[in-house]
Amino acid sequence: MFIASLLGNNNYNYMNQVATILEPNATIQGQNGANLGVLSQETLKYCLYARKSTESEERQVLSIDSQIKEMLDLATRENLNITEIRRESHSAKEVGQRQVFNELVADIKLGKFNAILTWAPDRISRNAGDLGAIVDLIDQGILKEIRTFSQRFTNNPNEKFLLMILGSQAKLENDNRGVNVKRGLRTRCEMGLWVGPAPLGYLNQNRMDKKCQVIVDPLRAPAIKQIFEKVAYEKYSGRKLYHWLKHELNFYTRGNKSITLSGIYRILDNTFYYGVFERPKGSGNWYQGKHKPLITQDLFEKAKAQLKRDNIQRESKEFAFTKLITCGCCGSGISAEDKYKPLKDGTTAHYIYYGCSRARDRFCKNKYIREEELIAELLKIIDKVDMNELGILTRMEMEVERLNKFQNMVLGEKQPNKKHKPAVDMRVYARYVLKEGSSVEKRELLANLRSKIILKDKKLLLINS
């Protein structure tokens, strides 16, 4: 053939390229008519792999749809057999993190594909581990070819070397990009410019030179200033601020959402509002911002000192019936608190009161109830409760067994082995636990209750859940 006659004896690589346009088992002749042998053409089964990183827009590369369109046009022009198209939106910086890529490698080992069609080598890998896996498949002869828009790579030393260089270059670009981004962010901070979305009360200024600084949000900045003033001068707590912002001020964030309690505490802890900021957080690197402060440092310190007094660590105490009862007025949980009253004889009376936590309704009018009254209400509803539901029989058997062990081991009294269940009224035992049991025993008793306990106007109701 004419094309074959143009080939030299050493142009084996080009011989492979023209093999796709020759008939199978065609005889190739050199320049002097020498027979170069029979060239066997193996059908290549391509998998078109398109990838875009999710960590950036990657404006220097085509999007996934554009990659697929370009490679399909290439396959049409060169009559390539594309078996399947796979796409993935995932960074290739780390080894083994791409699910679609891992499945592609596994399918190549199974013989489903023996060639890859992709836009560029860096679409396959930007790390040494995944690149090594691909080159290893080529060395084993399992992967016959990698075809890109402008290059092809086969089991040829020079082509494999070039593939590894291009993959290493992509990794170098990734590494340098991270270093350059950090340097750029550090430079911006040194210039007094905030990095990232502006804190609540400020707005990001969109300018082409990208040297913009945040500007004061005229809609929300006054409320931010009032937050600090109310804590510093009016001794507002975080929860009181939350209700004030939500119900009285009708305050919304830039995303048109109500501010959260944790968001309020983040505001009160942010030094940015009086002009300085730390970057990264906890690094000790402080910068003087060019933005307009909303408050003074003195006001910030006063609010912070008030919060410290407000957040005094108190002794943690688990009350017997908290988290087990629901407010019948607003649906909030029932909390408890200790109250101490000095008596005329010099002693102090201790009371425990249960009442609505007001988590859902700050102005809930449900009445408080003392623990003794609450236990009396629980005793009234014991007759309405299924004893098997409370699991009392099992617990009672355990108590009897514990008592027998105590008598045997401590008192030395031998107890006869009784395999039958104790003849004890389970309701009597339940009342005993509610009256005389520890807080843990009371909680365990009611924790098995599938019915919902509602407290309303100092009365308990059972509702089947």
Side-chain angles (χ1 to χ4, degrees), residues 323-335:
K323 302 178 183 179
L324 299 173
I325 307 174
T326 304
C327 175
C329 295
C330 69
S332 302
I334 295 297
S335 60

Side-chain angles (χ1 to χ4, degrees), residues 382-399:
I382 282 296
D383 292 335
K384 304 176 184 179
V385 178
D386 183 0
M387 291 294 103
N388 292 328
E389 179 180 336
L390 284 175
I392 290 181
L393 182 59
T394 302
R395 179 169 182 80
M396 188 170 57
E397 290 175 345
M398 293 173 59
E399 288 291 331

Side-chain angles (χ1 to χ4, degrees), residues 395-412:
R395 179 169 182 80
M396 188 170 57
E397 290 175 345
M398 293 173 59
E399 288 291 331
V400 171
E401 183 180 355
R402 187 166 64 112
L403 176 61
N404 290 337
K405 287 183 179 180
F406 176 79
Q407 291 176 330
N408 287 334
M409 299 175 64
V410 179
L411 302 180

